[in-house]
Amino acid sequence: MAGNAVGHAVRVEVPGGIWLDGAAQAPVREFVLRPVDGDDEVFLLGLADSALPSERASALLARCLLDGAEVVRSLSAGDREALLLHLRRLTLGDRLECLLHCPAGECGEAMEFTLRATDLLMPPYHEARPSYDVAVEFDGARHEVTFRLPTSADLDHAATLARHDAEAGARELLRRCVARVARGGVPLALEALPASARAAIATAMAAHDPQAEIELDLACPSCGAAFSVIFDAATFFLQELDRRGERLLQEVHFLAWHYHWSEREILAMPARRRARYIELLADATARARE
């Protein structure tokens, strides 16, 4: 769904959706987003040294999603990726100019390619549910597991732990999302499951939220090697916004230096107007040097 305009914002759709109290029949899939503005870019730069990428992505969505921060906390990983793709499209356009290096052997060739945000968005999940059941076999016995999909709040919390201990982060994510483990109807602690069983649960979670991990199949034009990479919408978009934010601060400094306008006044200007003032200053400086 490309989105319908709502004022300066756009109504967009996510594949999974949020299950609200009393809405047991279907999840809420439509949300309203506004594009990222200069204030958002400066805000995001301010978090660069104190927040993890996952937390910065959530904070950005909380500012641009008209439904508020609490909704962001409830989004599944895939829905957050979808909203970030929508947000990128609204802010910078649909085309994603990508660059990576071939991972094969001694090649390392730089590869440039173009993606489209709309092509990376998945349609609504046909079997979306508030929770899921999976059977895990080990020690010759069947174990029943009930889980929900990880939310942005879960991911942000787990990412904080994973910063120092990746395994602890993964265990905490499962602990927060697994509601029940039983063997033959008898409840069992999640910690009693071996690593292979916990991995099977994680695999089942991923299968029910495919938007969360976008895999690209690529081939190196130089050596011909075929390989797959994961496209992380949050990382890609945050890097773009960081570069834009740094340029914006330079523009603010330049205009404030010459015109003595406040940061608030400069950030409130449309980007094209700021660029035009900078062009005028550059022309005046050039003429003064003649």
Side-chain angles (χ1 to χ4, degrees), residues 214-226:
I214 303 169
E215 188 172 20
L216 305 176
D217 294 322
L218 303 172
C220 176
S222 179
C223 71

Side-chain angles (χ1 to χ4, degrees), residues 8-123:
H8 294 294
V10 169
R11 191 179 303 279
V12 299
E13 186 178 54
V14 297
I18 295 175
W19 296 85
L20 301 177
D21 292 340
Q25 297 302 315
V28 176
R29 286 195 169 111
E30 287 194 348
F31 301 96
V32 179
L33 274 178
R34 63 163 178 82
V36 175
D37 61 23
D39 281 333
D40 300 321
E41 292 176 8
V42 173
F43 166 80
L44 206 58
L45 275 182
L47 296 180
D49 295 329
S50 61
L52 295 171
S54 176
E55 296 170 323
R56 296 177 74 212
S58 293
L60 178 63
L61 279 178
R63 290 173 67 92
C64 298
L65 188 68
L66 270 60
D67 300 270
E70 193 55 40
V71 168
V72 174
R73 291 176 53 83
S74 302
L75 293 169
S76 71
D79 286 347
R80 184 170 72 169
E81 286 287 289
L83 284 178
L84 287 168
L85 286 170
H86 280 300
L87 187 58
R88 200 281 182 187
R89 175 179 58 81
L90 294 176
T91 305
L92 302 178
D94 195 39
R95 290 169 59 89
L96 310 173
E97 302 297 339
C98 305
L99 171 67
L100 58 78
H101 293 272
C102 175
E106 300 297 323
C107 182
E109 181 74 13
M111 299 171 53
E112 296 181 359
F113 58 97
T114 300
L115 301 173
R116 291 190 178 276
T118 47
D119 292 338
L120 301 177
L121 290 165
M122 294 188 176

